Structure formats: C-alpha cells, structure tokens
Amino acid sequence: MRIITGLYKGRHFEIPRSFKARPTTDFAKENIFNVLTGYLDFEGTTVLDLFSGTGSISLELVSRGCSQVISVEMDRNHHRFICDCLKRLGTEVCIPLRGDVFRFVKSCRSQFDFIFADPPYALKELPEIPDLIFERGLLKEGGIFVFEHGSNHQFSNHPHFREHRSYGSVNFSLFT
C-alpha cells in the first residue's frame, strides 16, 4: 500500500497477509482522488473515513493536508495497523477509532466536509449506508460523500446522488 501524493507521497506500508481487508487499488484511489479535486480542496478539510480497513484512504487524506481525519474500523488488527502507520508518519491529524461504524454514525454529533465509506461488499446493510449518512446530518453543506461498493449495487435514484465512477471492479457513488 502506498500514499499517492502530498506530504507523504511515495511512502509504502506492507499489509500483513493475514488481513481480510482489501485496500482500494492504487489505480482506483488515484482516479477517484483526481475526480474529487473538482469537488473540494483537501487542505484544511474535516474527514470521516468509515470502514477504514487498512487505513489507505485515511493516510492519503492526511498526506493531502486535511485538518482532521476520523478513521473508524472495527477489526482490532486493522485498527492497530492504522495506528502503527500513523505513528510511523509522526502525525496526530488522524484519530483512529476502533468500533462499530453503525454505532458511531448513530451517536456522532459532528459534521464533515468529506465522508468516505468502503464497507465490505457483502455487508447486508450496505444499501442503507447513504440514507444513514444523510438522515444523521453528518455531511456539511457543500460537502461530498464517496461510497465504495461492488457492481451489484447502484444508487442513481438516491436524492443526494451526484455521479458514479467505475475503475475495474471498484465502484464509487458520489453524493452531495
């Protein structure tokens, strides 16, 4: 796993083979971030990264100058890996939280400029996540929510849907 651009550009982190999480591919990550630069300036933004997995997106966001990144991951080993990566970078911009994403979202009282969610593609609650984000009011006015999912889901009828991008087997739905 590598950081594509920003302060920590080119830094590599070796993901343990025992991990179940599949980090967003560099190809998909680079392309979606190119799209996102048309929507927002990452410098100084507040971010929520749900289902953080290996922390690939959180680390990329820290590198791009976000003022705060909250990274939520349930798996103990994945959470520890994210903490170790952040420690190696020497940054305190990212707050890695270990816990259930749904509990976090239901109790969260903050709003964010950018929200990224990459749940397991087989998660049965996956289709409910966009509604939950907007019902809880987690996205600031003018913010963007990026939802990574498999090709068997589509969200174009959602009232906040903006566009869909596909990079190989990786699909992103963007909401505003």
Side-chain angles (χ1 to χ4, degrees), residues 46-111:
T46 57
V47 179
L48 177 60
D49 181 12
L50 300 172
F51 305 96
S52 299
T54 62
S56 173
I57 298 297
S58 289
L59 296 173
E60 189 69 40
L61 291 162
V62 167
S63 184
R64 290 172 184 253
C66 294
S67 62
Q68 182 184 52
V69 178
I70 296 178
S71 174
V72 184
E73 172 55 44
M74 181 182 262
D75 185 276
R76 177 182 54 237
N77 294 328
H78 296 177
H79 176 262
R80 186 177 307 122
F81 179 77
I82 294 168
C83 291
D84 291 345
C85 291
L86 291 167
K87 189 174 182 179
R88 286 177 51 196
L89 293 178
T91 182
E92 295 180 7
V93 170
C94 184
I95 302 166
L97 301 177
R98 182 171 168 251
D100 179 82
V101 164
F102 294 100
R103 281 189 183 161
F104 175 84
V105 167
K106 288 176 182 170
S107 66
C108 183
R109 303 283 182 251
S110 300
Q111 288 190 311

Side-chain angles (χ1 to χ4, degrees), residues 93-156:
V93 170
C94 184
I95 302 166
L97 301 177
R98 182 171 168 251
D100 179 82
V101 164
F102 294 100
R103 281 189 183 161
F104 175 84
V105 167
K106 288 176 182 170
S107 66
C108 183
R109 303 283 182 251
S110 300
Q111 288 190 311
F112 303 89
D113 299 303
F114 178 58
I115 300 173
F116 186 92
D118 179 10
Y121 289 2
L123 185 72
K124 77 175 172 65
E125 298 92 349
L126 186 143
E128 303 161 18
I129 294 171
D131 286 335
L132 188 58
I133 295 297
F134 288 100
E135 287 168 5
R136 299 298 304 162
L138 297 182
L139 193 64
K140 287 182 183 176
E141 183 75 31
I144 186 158
F145 166 46
V146 174
F147 190 43
E148 184 174 337
H149 56 85
S151 59
N152 55 336
H153 290 95
Q154 71 91 17
F155 298 92
S156 61

Side-chain angles (χ1 to χ4, degrees), residues 1-4 7-13 85 88-89:
M1 174 178 83
R2 76 178 172 95
I3 297 175
I4 296 168
L7 181 62
Y8 304 110
K9 179 181 179 178
R11 296 286 297 266
H12 286 265
F13 299 92
C85 291
R88 286 177 51 196
L89 293 178

